[in-house]
Amino acid sequence: MRIDWRRNNSLTSFFYKCESCDLHSELSIEDFLDQKLQKILKVKGEKLNNALISGNIKFHESRGFPALQFRKDVGTIESGTVVYLGKKIEVVRGFPKIRRTLILSPALENHFNDKVAVEEKMNGYNVRIASIDNQIFAFTRGGYVCPFTTKKALELMDLTSFFKENPNLVLCGEMVGTENPYVSHHYPEIGKLGFKIFDIREKISNKPLTINEKFDLIEKYNLPPVTLFGVFKADQVAMEVKKIIKNIGKEGREGVVIKDLEMEEMPLKYTASQAHDREIKYAFKYPFDFGRAFFFSRVIREGFQAFEMNESEEELKKRAQRLGESILMPMVKTISCVSNDNPAAEDLVIEVNSKEEADEFVRFIHDLGVNATLLKFEDGKATIRRIHQSTTDKISNYLKGGLY
Ligand code: ATP
Ligand code: MG
């Protein structure tokens, strides 16, 4: 095997030679895409090449992991897909987008035909874990190997026998907990950091195992599953979810994902009002770092949920007041903070073994475009300050009299 690239890693003069497969001659990138990758991914070489030229597929190497990374969907291949270019070509497909329903009935009975599983939707960040060249890696949604996540996943679970016996499967799950660098959320049963598996999929095809196959394997290998609230008939599930979601909301949890038992229909997600509220609060703390669609979408969710839950005048009023407060209060607090010459920043805490590990993680998120610095490392805990730059800059400009 030999991989070689020139001209600032732009793949125009990339050569690939694979000794373990049928191709023994060096290939230009065009030929590699045409003769090899087209067959594996079932996407035309020309389409792949265009995506490379436009930057929708990027060559990326980190820690001896040379790979093509899909930044956008290309044909049927999801963004976040990683094609590992090592001894063997390995494909870990991106995690598919889950569509949302704004109302439960009649959306659920229309969408699903047969029995469905209602699983808890955990609020953390999406992780895919796969074994590549006998080494286990954890990928973030975008398709990066995250050093922190990889290390923690291996500490939290014993994955050796699962991947030894199932090297062609990918574990998809959510990293959750308070000491979580991407999405911090308190779950009483998790505490600082934990992992919950929600899907098991095949490499290359991305075909998911059925709900039963998934929970069987999870049990067999003693892995941590997401909560399964129950299996219901499609025409009864809306009523059940209505009850479940009210409890989930009260407990400060996020929502549910409803899945066809055979995993043939597309799953749907539905979330609690309290979860929308938390996100609105958070986003209005850093209003210029979130797109307008982020706010709009959450307000729309509230509108449809309030309608469907058929609330009393009083309940509706409470919802409306809470929404208004969640928009205004955090924003005014941030404006006040910036007016005192402080940046709009948040501090996150992660557990690491050394300052070097903390530095490595900060470098990793820095390369992803996050403005972060290590504030301190003490007793195995790193405090990382993340600055929301647009919010800081814009607010400070308006406070000086800049026009909107
Ligand atoms: P999308 O996945 O639709 O692109 P998003 O990235 O904003 O949207 P969410 O709105 O949080 O994510 O919803 C989907 C995500 O929920 C999944 O990508 C997955 O990480 C997470 N998730 C948590 N629990 C489950 C579960 N039980 N089944 C499927 N996904 C789950
Ligand atoms: Mg999420």
Side-chain angles (χ1 to χ4, degrees), residues 95-100 119-127 141 173-174 196-199 214 226-227 254 256-257 259 267 269 271 279 298 301:
F95 190 79
K97 244 192 131 34
I98 300 182
R99 297 286 301 272
R100 172 182 296 277
E119 288 181 4
E120 174 161 21
K121 179 180 193 299
M122 298 296 283
N123 184 24
Y125 64 97
N126 184 294
V127 177
R141 193 77 199 267
E174 198 86 347
K196 292 284 187 177
I197 294 169
F198 49 71
D199 271 6
K214 169 179 75 179
V226 287
T227 300
E254 189 185 22
V256 295
V257 182
K259 300 177 179 178
K269 60 188 179 192
T271 44
E279 290 189 356
R298 277 141 192 89
R301 291 174 203 173

Side-chain angles (χ1 to χ4, degrees), residues 52-235:
L52 254 178
I53 292 165
S54 65
N56 291 344
I57 300 178
K58 281 242 154 88
F59 179 73
H60 180 81
E61 190 187 27
S62 72
R63 306 195 308 162
F65 192 98
L68 295 177
Q69 187 200 22
F70 285 56
R71 304 273 173 114
K72 293 245 170 76
D73 291 357
V74 178
T76 51
I77 306 298
E78 308 81 2
S79 74
T81 295
V82 177
V83 178
Y84 172 69
L85 305 168
K87 282 194 190 117
K88 205 175 135 202
I89 294 171
E90 294 258 27
V91 181
V92 178
R93 293 274 292 269
F95 190 79
K97 244 192 131 34
I98 300 182
R99 297 286 301 272
R100 172 182 296 277
T101 181
L102 290 175
I103 49 162
L104 296 168
S105 183
L108 299 185
E109 57 256 42
N110 286 352
H111 182 82
F112 296 103
N113 294 314
D114 211 345
K115 284 190 176 161
V116 293
V118 178
E119 288 181 4
E120 174 161 21
K121 179 180 193 299
M122 298 296 283
N123 184 24
Y125 64 97
N126 184 294
V127 177
R128 286 162 289 147
I129 307 173
S131 164
I132 285 166
D133 257 349
N134 294 318
Q135 226 186 313
I136 297 169
F137 293 98
F139 301 91
T140 60
R141 193 77 199 267
Y144 293 95
V145 174
C146 171
F148 172 82
T149 313
T150 298
K151 185 155 184 289
K152 294 293 175 182
L154 293 170
E155 282 170 13
L156 290 165
M157 296 172 283
D158 182 359
L159 299 169
T160 328
S161 56
F162 176 84
F163 283 118
K164 209 168 179 186
E165 288 161 34
N166 304 282
N168 64 328
L169 295 181
V170 179
L171 295 173
C172 309
E174 198 86 347
M175 190 67 92
V176 285
T178 46
E179 292 187 0
N180 180 323
Y182 303 108
V183 181
S184 167
H185 185 112
H186 175 67
Y187 285 102
E189 76 282 18
I190 302 263
K192 294 179 190 165
L193 200 68
F195 197 75
K196 292 284 187 177
I197 294 169
F198 49 71
D199 271 6
I200 303 181
R201 292 172 176 264
E202 283 175 14
K203 277 181 184 161
I204 303 184
S205 73
N206 218 8
K207 187 177 181 303
L209 300 191
T210 67
I211 300 288
N212 282 334
E213 288 166 346
K214 169 179 75 179
F215 282 109
D216 283 353
L217 275 192
I218 285 176
E219 199 184 319
K220 179 172 173 198
Y221 293 97
N222 197 21
L223 300 172
V226 287
T227 300
L228 173 66
F229 288 115
V231 173
F232 306 101
K233 285 198 185 133
D235 58 356

Side-chain angles (χ1 to χ4, degrees), residues 334-365:
T334 302
I335 296 174
S336 154
C337 171
V338 175
S339 79
N340 288 323
D341 281 337
N342 293 311
E346 65 180 311
D347 289 348
L348 44 103
V349 176
I350 54 170
E351 216 164 41
V352 282
N353 287 332
S354 61
K355 183 169 175 300
E356 287 65 46
E357 249 181 53
D359 284 331
E360 186 189 19
F361 179 71
V362 171
R363 265 200 309 278
F364 173 74
I365 54 174

